[in-house]
Amino acid sequence: MSLRHILLGMLSRPHSGYDLKKQFNQSLRNFWNAELSQIYPQLQKLEKDGLLTSKQIASSNGPPRRVYTRSDKGRRELLSWLANGPNVGEERISYLAQVFFLSELTDTAAAIRFMQELRDHMMSWLESLQEVERRWQAEDPRYPDALADEDFYPQLTLALGLRKVRCNLDWCDECIARLKRRCAADFS
Amino acid sequence: MSLRHILLGMLSRPHSGYDLKKQFNQSLRNFWNAELSQIYPQLQKLEKDGLLTSKQIASSNGPPRRVYTRSDKGRRELLSWLANGPNVGEERISYLAQVFFLSELTDTAAAIRFMQELRDHMMSWLESLQEVERRWQAEDPRYPDALADEDFYPQLTLALGLRKVRCNLDWCDECIARLKRRCAADFS
DNA sequence: TGTTCCATGTAATAAGTTACATGATTTA
DNA sequence: TAAATCATGTAACTTATTACATGGAACA
């Protein structure tokens, strides 16, 4: 039941469903994603449960926007989620499932290609995170340790993103090297 | 649509639904989990689609078991999943979402407690992975690089598990240190 | 004049969780 | 004799994805 709480977290200040989707695409995408078709009904449900309130507001450029605000009850719900302690052990990483079954491929060369493709993904992911960090650093002299709380904690998640992607990259390199050695052993 | 393919991957040799659940609990849990109430219907569906066949077999100890075997069509389906390349960018890590919103807590001390709890989880996770590795190493002299393919690729996922958990631990330590510095700054 | 962005939604389907139901065998 | 393990499933519900539907404004 995490999306519910994530939306509550994002609504520390008022936003529309469309805004929230943009935030997913920008800053939360490293650990969560949600489609508009899931966000809109969930916001409606949260309002029905009294955790949010909404009002329609005219927009300067496009159609009118429905803007949601977290209620006190909503804030308490968010706090109880955090107070329950960290939710660990629910990760789903489908590329790891793929690696697990790579022996099904006909030859080691195909497995190497798979790992190389994975490495490429990780590399471009790393670059995009580095770009985010570079920009943030350039725009805010308080980066990273003097940031206000609302930015400091998100920065911690960026820091883990960077560490993790580097870790994945190193692992890909290790795998490719080990696979190449196995490949060489096949012909001897 | 990953569970479908994961089950196909696991059925390179015949297993019952109950067997498969045990495998999830033992070796796949680091990147995927599924409940029996999801596994049984999914196996039935895969059989209906012609990707598996099954037969009921009497058991020595308990009730009779329905054992599933992958068909040729099932194997081709698995291969096309692998051939599509790595599935990246679909990760959901709810503890990171929690960290993202930790500014909602009333004080930094509570955030430090949260991170310490997370660190404890990571530590016990690391210990369990190390135990798995220790046992494997003791039982099989081919560990890790001379393992047969069916074990070698799973070992690669264990290797990433170890790296990743260590990475998370280091990050937790960094976060706690940075938070303590902020906390000290609050009182100055 | 076609594409992208803004903005909100519904419908149908798939995937996943929790609770329920059954009943034999093995272990403490 | 109580609990755990073996073994398979259904029912109700929640969560998430994909496809569909609408329509104005900005841009190229």
Side-chain angles (χ1 to χ4, degrees), chain B residues 1 3 32 35 37-38 42 45 60-63:
Chain B
M1 234 213 264
L3 177 65
W32 207 274
E35 299 304 323
S37 57
Q38 198 190 357
Q42 191 59 243
K45 207 190 162 203
S60 50
N61 40 350

Side-chain angles (χ1 to χ4, degrees), chain A residues 44-114:
Chain A
Q44 288 165 12
K45 207 190 163 204
L46 282 162
E47 183 172 25
K48 214 185 66 187
D49 294 348
L51 307 179
L52 300 177
T53 59
S54 80
K55 49 185 164 186
Q56 197 154 318
I57 291 180
S59 168
S60 51
N61 41 351
R65 305 147 44 75
R66 178 158 295 275
V67 172
Y68 289 87
T69 309
R70 193 171 65 195
S71 70
D72 245 39
K73 195 176 163 193
R75 185 163 173 279
R76 284 198 300 274
E77 174 76 23
L78 173 66
L79 287 174
S80 87
W81 180 56
L82 296 175
N84 267 346
N87 298 147
V88 287
E90 300 162 18
E91 275 156 85
R92 279 164 186 219
I93 308 171
S94 54
Y95 68 81
L96 268 187
Q98 290 175 305
V99 172
F100 197 92
F101 299 121
L102 237 36
S103 62
E104 299 281 349
L105 295 176
T106 36
D107 57 356
T108 310
I112 291 176
R113 281 195 299 276
F114 186 95

Side-chain angles (χ1 to χ4, degrees), chain A residues 112-129:
Chain A
I112 291 176
R113 281 195 299 276
F114 186 95
M115 293 306 305
Q116 244 144 9
E117 202 179 329
L118 188 52
R119 190 194 188 281
D120 291 344
H121 280 292
M122 292 299 159
M123 185 52 95
S124 62
W125 192 352
L126 175 61
E127 281 162 2
S128 82
L129 289 180

Side-chain angles (χ1 to χ4, degrees), chain A residues 2 32 87-92, chain B residues 29 92 94 125:
Chain A
S2 288
W32 207 274
N87 298 147
V88 287
E90 300 162 18
E91 275 156 85
R92 279 164 186 219
Chain B
R29 64 129 77 84
R92 282 171 180 205
S94 54
W125 191 353

Side-chain angles (χ1 to χ4, degrees), chain A residues 1 6 23 35 38 41 53 59 62 87 107 110 158 171 181 186:
Chain A
M1 233 213 262
I6 290 170
Q23 270 187 256
E35 299 304 323
Q38 198 191 357
T53 59
S59 168
N87 298 147
D107 57 356
L158 173 61
W171 171 74
R181 255 180 275 137
D186 282 351

